[in-house]
């Protein structure tokens, strides 16, 4: 829907400059009940009640798993007719019809839509009282704003989810159903508020494989998720624009900035590149070699992926040294896990949960999106690998002449505070107060 609206706005501004564009939506009255069953099929729609009673349904019902599939035939038929008749653009989702059109074509598009629906489904098939028009409308749990060209989470849904997270006691045992409810709320906002996506997976993982009966303690990763959602959903209510997406952001874009990274258990190596639009060559901007022995990973190979993810997070942070913000980024490295975590915003390792929080909040502060990840073989990633093992940029000049440039900057990440934030040994989840104090006291480390 967002892509449809964005494309129509662009085309309208080119073909009809100055014309006002509006959103509209229409609702089918009764939804599934508009379906009628053939008389010979009614015996198949019986449902046994108590005391030997049986109820037979003569029309579509809510709660039967087959109804959505049946109604989808109607949805596709309505969409087919409208797409070929309307002057604007339209999408149909079950019983909800959403459109965007020029103000001068609004009455025509609404009239055609009503005629098509009533011709197929009978008179009064449209719930007239629910027809809405305006520059900002709610669309299946989200809101599209034409004036700001943004997509936001519907305010009432934010408040509902916020109440659910605030009313959850993270120190008390919980149930599968309670976590399922939290995970469902959380997952709704992953596409819009992508900073929240790292914490959805932990909620699902917390109850996966458990029996529906009984209670159990909330795992540490899920505790972090619940606490973060409290903060992020609260901020969403106050600073809505910070937690929205531009209409055009759902279209894949070619990232202009590139971060190449690698990590050992004692150090990270990072290189930054820029790709000019329409040019295939990459401009080497700078690099750094950073010691991370303060994290105390020692020789524990189970922490390798965590080290790699921290390297990637530091690499994205380092983009600010080159003035990068409000942009998309490509990450390159040889750790499939770290790249996957960054791209999907789903961190599977508990030891990387603190780094995931930093990564998400940092990307929010800089308005950076991970648009692409590229896996490199160990041989291809030799530059960042050498830096992660203590080499300087000049040492790379023997194999790549670009590093012989004495003007190539060595970026100082000033990462002491950031490494404290990412340190898996720090437990910031024992209480709300400790959690908030831990992150706010080091807030400047995100800049």
């Amino acid at each position: 829907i967002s892509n449809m609206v964005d494309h129509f706005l662009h085309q309208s501004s080119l073909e009809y400059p100055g014309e006002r564009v509006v959103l509209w939506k229409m609702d089918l009255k009764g939804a599934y009940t508009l379906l009628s069953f053939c008389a010979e099929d009614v015996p198949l729609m019986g449902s046994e009640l108590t005391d030997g009673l049986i109820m037979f349904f003569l029309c579509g019902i809510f709660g039967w798993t087959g109804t959505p599939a049946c109604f989808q035939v109607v949805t596709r038929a309505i969409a087919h007719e409208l797409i070929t008749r309307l002057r604007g653009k339209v999408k149909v989702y079950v019983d909800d019809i959403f459109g965007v059109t020029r103000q001068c074509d609004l009455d025509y598009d609404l009239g055609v839509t009503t005629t098509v629906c009533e011709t197929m489904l009978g008179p009064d098939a449209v719930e007239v009282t629910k027809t809405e028009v305006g520059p900002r409308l709610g669309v299946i749990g989200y809101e599209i704003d034409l004036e700001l060209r943004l997509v936001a989470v519907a305010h009432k849904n934010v408040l509902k989810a916020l109440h659910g997270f605030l009313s959850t006691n993270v120190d008390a045992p919980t149930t599968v159903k309670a976590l399922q409810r939290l995970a469902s709320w959380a997952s709704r906002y992953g596409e819009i508020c992508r900073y929240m996506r790292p914490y959805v997976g932990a909620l699902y993982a917390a109850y996966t494989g458990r029996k529906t009966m009984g209670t159990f303690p909330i795992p540490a990763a899920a505790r972090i998720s619940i606490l973060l959602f409290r903060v992020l959903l609260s901020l969403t209510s106050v600073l809505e624009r910070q937690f929205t997406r531009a209409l055009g952001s759902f279209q894949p874009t070619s990232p202009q900035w590139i971060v190449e990274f690698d990590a050992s258990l004692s150090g990270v190596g990072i290189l930054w590149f820029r790709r000019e639009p329409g040019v295939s060559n990459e401009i080497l901007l700078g690099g750094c070699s950073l010691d991370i022995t303060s994290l105390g990973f020692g020789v524990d190979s189970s922490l390798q992926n965590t080290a790699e993810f921290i390297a990637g997070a530091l690499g994205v942070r380092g983009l600010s040294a080159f003035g990068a913000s409000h942009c998309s980024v490509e990450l390159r490295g040889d750790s499939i896990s770290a790249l996957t975590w960054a791209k999907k915003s789903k961190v599977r390792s508990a030891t990387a949960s603190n780094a995931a929080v930093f990564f998400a909040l940092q990307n929010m502060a800089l308005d950076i999106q991970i648009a692409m990840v590229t896996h490199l073989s160990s041989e291809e990633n030799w530059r960042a690998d050498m830096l992660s093992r203590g080499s300087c940029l000049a040492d790379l000049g023997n194999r790549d002449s670009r590093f012989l440039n004495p003007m190539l900057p060595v970026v100082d990440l000033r990462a002491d505070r950031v490494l404290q934030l990412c340190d898996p040994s720090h437990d910031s989840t024992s209480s709300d107060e400790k959690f908030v104090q831990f992150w706010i006291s080091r807030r400047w480390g995100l800049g």
Side-chain angles (χ1 to χ4, degrees), residues 237-393:
S237 301
V238 180
L239 304 171
E240 183 187 56
R241 291 200 63 176
Q242 189 75 41
F243 297 86
T244 58
R245 284 186 68 173
L247 280 175
S249 67
F250 293 86
Q251 295 281 12
T253 58
S254 178
Q256 188 177 8
W257 302 88
I258 302 169
V259 176
E260 191 171 294
F261 66 93
D262 197 19
S264 64
L265 293 173
S266 59
V268 300
I270 306 169
L271 294 168
W272 291 273
F273 301 86
R274 181 180 177 126
R275 182 188 293 117
E276 295 298 332
V279 179
S280 58
N281 293 337
E282 300 170 358
I283 301 173
L284 176 62
L285 301 175
C288 80
S289 175
L290 179 69
D291 183 280
I292 61 169
T293 54
S294 61
L295 295 175
F297 289 171
V299 294
D300 188 351
S301 59
S302 67
L303 295 170
Q304 181 62 43
N305 286 330
T306 299
E308 298 271 7
F309 182 70
I310 291 174
L314 288 169
V316 174
R317 178 178 185 268
L319 286 170
S320 60
F322 305 101
S325 62
H326 311 287
C327 60
S328 58
V329 175
E330 174 187 355
L331 288 182
R332 297 196 304 221
D334 57 19
S335 170
I336 295 177
S337 293
L339 292 171
T340 302
W341 294 347
K343 176 61 176 176
K344 295 185 177 181
S345 297
K346 293 181 180 179
V347 174
R348 296 186 179 276
S349 172
T351 59
S353 58
N354 282 346
V357 174
F358 166 74
F359 187 67
L361 295 179
Q362 161 193 260
N363 291 358
M364 179 181 68
L366 296 174
D367 191 16
I368 285 177
Q369 310 299 337
I370 307 302
M372 180 187 303
V373 295
T374 302
H375 177 249
L376 303 176
S377 66
S378 299
E379 293 75 17
E380 293 172 322
N381 205 31
W382 65 269
R383 297 173 297 197
D385 177 71
M386 287 183 63
L387 293 174
S388 73
R389 301 179 189 281
S391 296
C392 63
L393 292 177

Side-chain angles (χ1 to χ4, degrees), residues 17-76:
E19 285 278 0
R20 185 169 183 261
V21 176
V22 294
L23 296 167
W24 60 269
K25 70 177 182 179
M26 192 175 286
D27 184 77
L28 295 178
K29 189 175 184 178
Y32 296 153
T33 62
L34 293 171
L35 289 175
S36 296
F37 298 134
C38 296
E40 59 270 23
D41 293 332
V42 169
L44 300 175
M45 301 305 298
S47 179
E48 186 176 356
L49 304 179
T50 58
D51 300 324
L53 298 176
I54 297 178
M55 176 183 290
F56 290 92
F57 296 94
L58 306 180
C59 63
I61 57 174
F62 291 87
W64 179 50
T65 55
T67 308
C70 294
F71 200 81
Q72 182 63 20
V73 178
V74 177
T75 299
R76 291 199 304 268

Side-chain angles (χ1 to χ4, degrees), residues 16 256 280 344 352 402 421 435:
Y16 305 93
Q256 188 177 8
S280 58
K344 295 185 177 181
R402 291 179 297 177
L421 289 169
F435 178 85

Side-chain angles (χ1 to χ4, degrees), residues 117-133:
C117 292
E118 291 186 343
T119 299
M120 286 188 177
L121 302 169
D124 300 323
V126 174
E127 182 61 81
V128 180
T129 59
K130 291 187 178 181
T131 298
E132 295 182 40
V133 176

